[in-house]
Amino acid sequence: MPPVTNADDYLLQLALEEGLISRDQVAEVEKEASARVSDGTPTSLFRMLVSAGALDVKAATELLAGKFNMRTVDLTNVQVPPDVLALVTRSQALHYNLLPLNRHRDTLEVVISDPLDTDGVDTLAHKLQMSIVPLLAATDDIVQVIDRHYGKEENALLGLLGSSLATGRYAESNSNELGEENSDSDAPIINLVQSMITRAVQQRASDIHLEPLERSFRVRYRIDGVLIIADSPPQRLQAAIISRLKIMARISIAERRLPQDGRIQIKVEGRTLDLRVSTVPTSHGESIVMRILDQDSLKLGLKEIGFLDDDRATFERLIAQPDGILLVTGPTGSGKTTTLYSCLQAINKPDRKIITVEDPVEYQMSWVNQVPVRSETGMTFASALRAMLRQAPNIVMVGEIRDLETAEIAIHASLTGHMVFSTLHTNDAPSAVTRLIDIGVKPFLVSTSLRGVMAQRLVRKICPDCRAAYAPTEQELHCLNITPIQVREGSICRGQGCSKCQGTGYYGRMGIFELLVVDDEIRNLIHAGVSVSKLRGKARSTGMRSLREDGIRKVIAGLTTVEEIVSITIGDGS
């Protein structure tokens, strides 16, 4: 018998000790192994015994698991979530003969075949900064699953790219800048780009990021606000893929030094989607970001975007007013535009004329007149707003108030019998008042026209398929100042991770809100030009909840998690 140096040797030793195989059987196969070694063919006694049917690999693996106090796993029909698969590359999986299986927050379950070889587990723990829980399965079973998952994607890529990938070449586009293809040689790249977009839509991504790096061409999807690394094509195809996307977006493929913006309309699984495309030159090529605009998001009502019943009732009263200004504030990507579209959907009736001015028009709305901003032709927010008012609208939506001119025209419209919706970039609701005054609007005009301000952020919702109640720690309760009484009255939950949410525990997003209603007392303070802290103090005393307080209510209701609210409202100590 050779010395024990790996799992195969140890498994064979265990099999002999437990009587799973006799020494005579081992001696017989050992002769064949010696012959193979003599002609230079690598061999393993254990594997040869398994191949010969003399040894049951499953029984031997169970023995090994018992010796190392490990759990075995049946890999027959296992499906690894894509985000878990992305944590380990195919080459790493094959090199260390391991398979990432499930992720639970900062813990990753990894299937291995050799408990004596800890290099792979240690490398992953260091690289990912995660706790690794090793599970045990047979070597051949692990290799089969690696081929089934990683190999499937690689083979699909080879099929899509055809000989261009095999030869390390790609077809240069023979298309003109109007997107008229003149050659069939681009078909593999066309199919690859289509596949990339389709996978993003299937995984509910809101953005696709294609990033040229020094030694790779990285593709990432933003899912529920979090960027996840996707299957990336070889770097040698970078130029072909970028050219194809620029052709689809109808922007110049010759211009590589300046940023460009375009739009793609594409059909995915029977649905027509719009993609807003932005290109930016970087050190290693052009970076492209595609924003996926799904018309289905227009179907969201005020309840679906995250309002609880009391806030929804207050907000519905505000948007139903015949005149005045309602502002929605927050940073880029906080869902302001979706909220405004939901407002328009709620009040869009045949007896009302609604006009919007947007930069750009993101979603096409039925029965709404939408005007795109085109600065190069002089159609700015201000000029478009002036023209819109001559169309006798009831309701006006301005994509964003950016300057004094736009603000003054919007206020003038609100004072002459129009209801105006718009957005502003401020961190909270009271700061919108000082922001308007800072850009030059007179305080008395702000106090007269403003009806309400709503600040918002987006937080991830707990996956409904794997939601489970749990007892939060004292530290978690302390982070949000949640009292034991609130815990007893509510249902604090978190996601366990499942196939639907790809192991994250989250599925979809919702808003948390800070709603400032401008009543007579607030109006007088605005007119007097008080500081934002005094304005906030008065608003809080009359019932305004902060973003964090609204988030706490949604944690207690079991809609989101403590971690989400703490991370999103980290600057809100209220």
Side-chain angles (χ1 to χ4, degrees):
M1 283 286 297
V4 174
T5 58
N6 55 41
D8 282 359
D9 296 336
Y10 192 63
L11 277 166
L12 181 54
Q13 188 181 82
L14 285 177
L16 283 167
E17 291 174 359
E18 297 295 327
L20 295 180
I21 193 169
S22 69
R23 292 193 176 274
D24 289 340
Q25 288 174 303
V26 173
E28 185 177 337
V29 174
E30 199 168 14
K31 289 179 183 178
E32 186 179 347
S34 299
R36 291 198 179 187
V37 170
S38 65
D39 67 17
T41 306
T43 187
S44 159
L45 256 180
F46 174 79
R47 289 176 179 275
M48 293 187 70
L49 287 162
V50 171
S51 298
L55 185 60
D56 182 359
V57 68
K58 185 175 180 181
T61 303
E62 291 286 351
L63 273 177
L64 186 64
K67 289 293 182 181
F68 284 89
N69 196 25
M70 295 175 65
R71 185 160 56 92
T72 59
V73 60
D74 183 5
L75 299 178
T76 307
N77 298 310
V78 73
Q79 290 295 325
V80 182
D83 66 312
V84 174
L85 212 62
L87 295 173
V88 180
T89 66
R90 174 185 167 86
S91 60
Q92 287 173 330
L94 289 172
H95 178 72
Y96 294 114
N97 194 36
L98 55 77
L99 176 76
L101 189 64
N102 287 306
R103 178 182 180 177
H104 302 286
R105 294 183 177 78
D106 295 325
T107 301
L108 181 67
E109 290 183 348
V110 174
V111 186
I112 63 173
S113 63
D114 190 349
L116 298 172
D117 183 4
T118 60
D119 285 352
V121 171
D122 292 342
T123 299
L124 277 186
H126 177 72
K127 177 189 171 186
L128 302 175
Q129 293 295 297
M130 298 175 71
S131 298
I132 305 297
V133 176
L135 308 175
L136 201 62
T139 299
D140 292 344
D141 291 348
I142 294 175
V143 171
Q144 285 178 12
V145 179
I146 290 173
D147 288 341
R148 192 166 74 235
H149 284 72
Y150 293 97
K152 175 176 60 179
E153 296 299 328
E154 185 166 304
N155 292 337
L157 182 62
L158 287 166
L160 287 172
L161 299 181
S163 60
S164 63
L165 179 59
T167 60
R169 301 174 57 194
Y170 60 84
E172 288 287 351
S173 173
N174 294 320
S175 310
N176 60 34
E177 290 181 20
L178 295 177
E180 299 169 351
E181 285 102 7
N182 300 321
S183 170
D184 291 335
S185 61
D186 283 334
I189 295 297
I190 292 171
N191 291 336
L192 174 60
V193 170
Q194 176 78 27
S195 174
M196 186 188 303
I197 295 171
T198 299
R199 283 199 298 270
V201 172
Q202 289 171 342
Q203 294 182 38
R204 303 179 299 106
S206 59
D207 308 290
I208 305 172
H209 295 248
L210 293 91
E211 302 161 317
L213 305 177
E214 184 178 3
R215 296 178 181 173
S216 63
F217 183 46
R218 184 170 66 180
V219 177
R220 293 193 289 175
Y221 299 153
R222 190 182 297 278
I223 302 173
D224 294 336
V226 178
L227 281 171
I228 294 174
I229 296 176
D231 297 313
S232 300
Q235 190 177 27
R236 58 180 173 268
L237 299 175
Q238 174 180 316
I241 292 170
I242 289 175
S243 293
R244 171 60 189 166
L245 287 170
K246 291 171 77 173
I247 289 168
M248 293 172 70
R250 298 180 182 271
I251 57 180
S252 172
I253 60 172
E255 180 56 75
R256 297 184 178 93
R257 298 168 300 170
L258 297 174
Q260 297 187 81
D261 294 306
R263 204 177 186 98
I264 296 173
Q265 190 170 83
I266 191 169
K267 185 163 284 190
V268 177
E269 297 182 336
R271 295 159 55 198
T272 300
L273 300 174
D274 283 329
L275 278 65
R276 198 172 74 198
V277 182
S278 169
T279 73
V280 174
T282 69
S283 301
H284 304 291
E286 289 176 281
S287 172
I288 292 185
V289 175
M290 292 181 282
R291 174 86 183 274
I292 300 173
L293 306 174
D294 190 351
Q295 291 290 129
D296 286 347
S297 63
L298 285 181
K299 299 174 184 177
L300 295 177
L302 295 177
K303 184 175 182 180
E304 285 73 21
I305 64 175
F307 280 108
L308 296 180
D309 290 342
D310 53 350
D311 279 346
R312 187 173 85 250
T314 302
F315 193 69
E316 286 175 343
R317 286 197 298 271
L318 285 175
I319 65 176
Q321 295 194 41
D323 56 28
I325 293 181
L326 176 68
L327 296 175
V328 180
T329 76
T332 301
S334 59
K336 300 186 299 295
T337 301
T338 301
T339 297
L340 288 183
Y341 278 127
S342 296
C343 292
L344 296 184
Q345 289 281 66
I347 60 178
N348 188 5
K349 297 178 181 178
D351 62 343
R352 294 177 179 176
K353 184 177 179 71
I354 302 175
I355 304 182
T356 73
V357 53
E358 304 169 61
D359 182 21
V361 174
E362 293 194 354
Y363 301 98
Q364 300 294 330
M365 295 187 68
S366 302
W367 309 106
V368 174
N369 301 276
Q370 295 174 273
V371 179
V373 167
R374 292 192 179 92
S375 301
E376 66 276 7
T377 62
M379 181 64 86
T380 63
F381 273 113
S383 60
L385 194 48
R386 285 195 193 93
M388 286 161 54
L389 295 179
R390 292 193 288 272
Q391 296 280 312
N394 300 103
I395 297 159
V396 173
M397 187 187 95
V398 184
E400 182 183 347
I401 293 178
R402 298 177 178 175
D403 52 41
L404 176 60
E405 186 180 16
T406 305
E408 286 182 332
I409 298 171
I411 287 173
H412 173 73
S414 71
L415 295 175
T416 52
H418 305 87
M419 187 64 196
V420 180
F421 298 103
S422 190
T423 68
L424 207 59
H425 285 283
T426 62
N427 288 328
D428 57 21
S431 296
V433 173
T434 55
R435 171 67 180 149
L436 289 174
I437 295 172
D438 286 345
I439 64 176
V441 181
K442 303 297 182 184
F444 77 90
L445 288 175
V446 177
S447 65
T448 305
S449 59
L450 198 61
R451 297 290 177 265
V453 184
M454 186 174 73
Q456 71 175 63
R457 300 288 189 278
L458 291 178
V459 297
R460 290 182 291 175
K461 295 191 292 186
I462 299 171
C463 174
D465 282 16
C466 61
R467 175 193 281 120
Y470 79 105
T473 65
E474 289 187 13
Q475 184 179 3
E476 288 177 314
L477 298 178
H478 177 72
C479 284
L480 295 180
N481 293 323
I482 298 175
T483 66
I485 294 175
Q486 290 175 307
V487 174
R488 287 195 297 271
E489 292 177 348
S491 175
I492 298 182
C493 301
R494 61 185 173 198
Q496 301 299 305
C498 65
S499 58
K500 179 176 181 177
C501 63
Q502 300 179 16
T504 64
Y506 297 99
Y507 190 89
R509 289 191 290 174
M510 65 188 300
I512 56 173
F513 308 103
E514 179 180 80
L515 186 55
L516 169 64
V517 178
V518 180
D519 57 17
D520 290 339
E521 292 183 89
I522 298 293
R523 191 171 290 112
N524 291 335
L525 291 176
I526 296 173
H527 190 278
V530 301
S531 67
V532 67
S533 59
K534 288 185 178 179
L535 196 61
R536 167 172 281 278
K538 185 61 182 177
R540 295 293 303 279
S541 70
T542 56
M544 183 188 79
R545 278 183 288 267
S546 68
L547 289 165
R548 173 162 287 193
E549 287 169 338
D550 191 46
I552 291 170
R553 294 202 304 161
K554 286 160 185 172
V555 168
I556 294 169
L559 301 175
T560 187
T561 63
V562 172
E563 295 90 344
E564 273 295 287
I565 300 303
V566 170
S567 65
I568 297 298
T569 64
I570 196 165
D572 183 1
S574 303

